[in-house]
Amino acid sequence: MIALVTGAGTGIGKAIALKLGESGYDVAVHYNSSSQGADEICEQIRKKGQRAISVKADLSDTSSIAGMFDRVEEELGALDLLVNNAGITKTAPFLETDENLFDLIYKVDVKAAYFASQCACKQMVKHGKKGSIIAISSNHSKAHFANVSVYGTMKAALNKMMEHIAIEMAKYGIRANTIAPGWVDTGASRLDEKETTYYKIPLKKWATVEEIADTVIFLASDSAASITGATLTVDNGASLMCDKGEKYGF
Ligand code: NAD
């Protein structure tokens, strides 16, 4: 089984790539600028006995996407799984949002995920693989937190896009699903903020990166053979609640 994970040199993507390697996948570990994290993950995956390559591409430039898929096919073989994980998590109040922020989040979170999914599905169809595409969205795609009008809009578009892919690719046996995490503990720098968010998280904790990776493993597996076009929310119940009025400015 062969997988490509975008944005896999850091955070959630890193945990997904590692867990896929531990689960018997050969993994293409995509990164954008620094290869260090991706190379480390490749090394760890190789130690588990699987093949791994790091692949560089700036996903804000659509022209870099097809070449990345060609390289993965040449070096590892045709994909069984694409995880669209790369994303830009930048916030700004609606009145202060500029076109650059809008375009950047659109290009990486939506446009790149669209054309990467298309490349992956073309490969799967060409090789008769009944594979799977998974997108890492956010609970911001349905709940309305403050100052995330662009991020929330783009993640909602991503959810819808995956539903369209699910219905058009069903005839090939290819499934497409979305994971919508809430707060995820990706590293020490955010640990201090944790407890200040608990008032709006019913289970009063953040998810671990391993839990998001476990959800990917499940959705890609035969245990999820009847699941397509679904969005699985992994947010400790946060999207069931609303925030305090002052957070929205009233
Ligand atoms: P992160 O910043 O560690 O990961 C984002 C990845 O996207 C990075 O590896 C980065 O290199 C890549 N990326 C950004 N711009 C790129 C570009 N132009 N070209 C190629 N790659 C690019 O953050 P993370 O928290 O691990 O986020 C991973 C995904 O999970 C994102 O889609 C994010 O929206 C989503 N998410 C995160 C959380 C959270 O609490 N951390 C919650 C919900 C959803």
Side-chain angles (χ1 to χ4, degrees), residues 20-207:
L20 286 167
E22 288 167 354
S23 305
Y25 282 84
D26 294 327
V27 188
V29 180
H30 160 265
Y31 68 96
N32 181 24
S33 44
S34 163
S35 67
Q36 191 188 344
D39 288 339
E40 281 169 15
I41 287 293
C42 286
E43 201 47 46
Q44 289 184 53
I45 293 171
R46 287 186 201 113
K47 280 188 185 146
K48 305 274 177 198
Q50 299 302 129
R51 295 180 298 157
I53 58 169
S54 58
V55 284
K56 177 177 166 64
D58 176 0
L59 296 177
S60 66
D61 174 8
T62 320
S63 68
S64 69
I65 295 176
M68 172 171 74
F69 281 84
D70 289 345
R71 197 184 138 208
V72 173
E73 187 178 359
E74 273 163 32
E75 295 194 24
L76 294 180
L79 286 173
D80 298 277
L81 172 66
L82 166 67
V83 183
N84 285 311
N85 165 76
I88 308 275
T89 311
K90 284 196 176 159
T91 63
F94 173 62
L95 290 179
E96 292 163 30
T97 296
D98 62 21
E99 199 175 343
N100 288 339
L101 178 68
F102 188 99
D103 287 347
L104 182 63
I105 301 182
Y106 163 67
K107 282 181 187 169
V108 177
D109 288 66
V110 181
K111 191 176 178 188
Y114 185 100
F115 287 103
S117 299
Q118 188 188 62
C119 285
C121 287
K122 281 182 177 175
Q123 247 182 48
M124 290 173 191
V125 170
K126 186 171 100 184
H127 293 272
K129 287 204 164 185
K130 296 184 176 183
S132 159
I133 314 285
I134 296 171
I136 307 301
S137 177
S138 165
N139 64 352
H140 289 53
S141 59
K142 64 172 181 175
H144 301 89
F145 296 98
N147 302 325
V148 287
S149 58
V150 180
Y151 182 73
T153 299
M154 298 309 165
K155 291 299 197 187
L158 181 63
N159 296 9
K160 183 77 163 64
M161 182 187 101
M162 295 301 289
E163 293 171 6
H164 282 284
I165 293 171
I167 196 155
E168 288 203 37
M169 292 298 101
K171 66 183 172 207
Y172 302 107
I174 297 169
R175 297 180 298 109
N177 290 294
T178 303
I179 298 169
W183 283 270
V184 181
D185 187 351
T186 55
S189 64
R190 294 181 74 192
L191 289 178
D192 289 350
E193 297 170 30
K194 263 185 174 179
E195 293 192 358
T196 64
T197 61
Y198 285 174
Y199 74 93
K200 53 186 171 183
I201 306 177
L203 291 179
K204 298 203 178 303
K205 63 185 179 65
W206 289 13

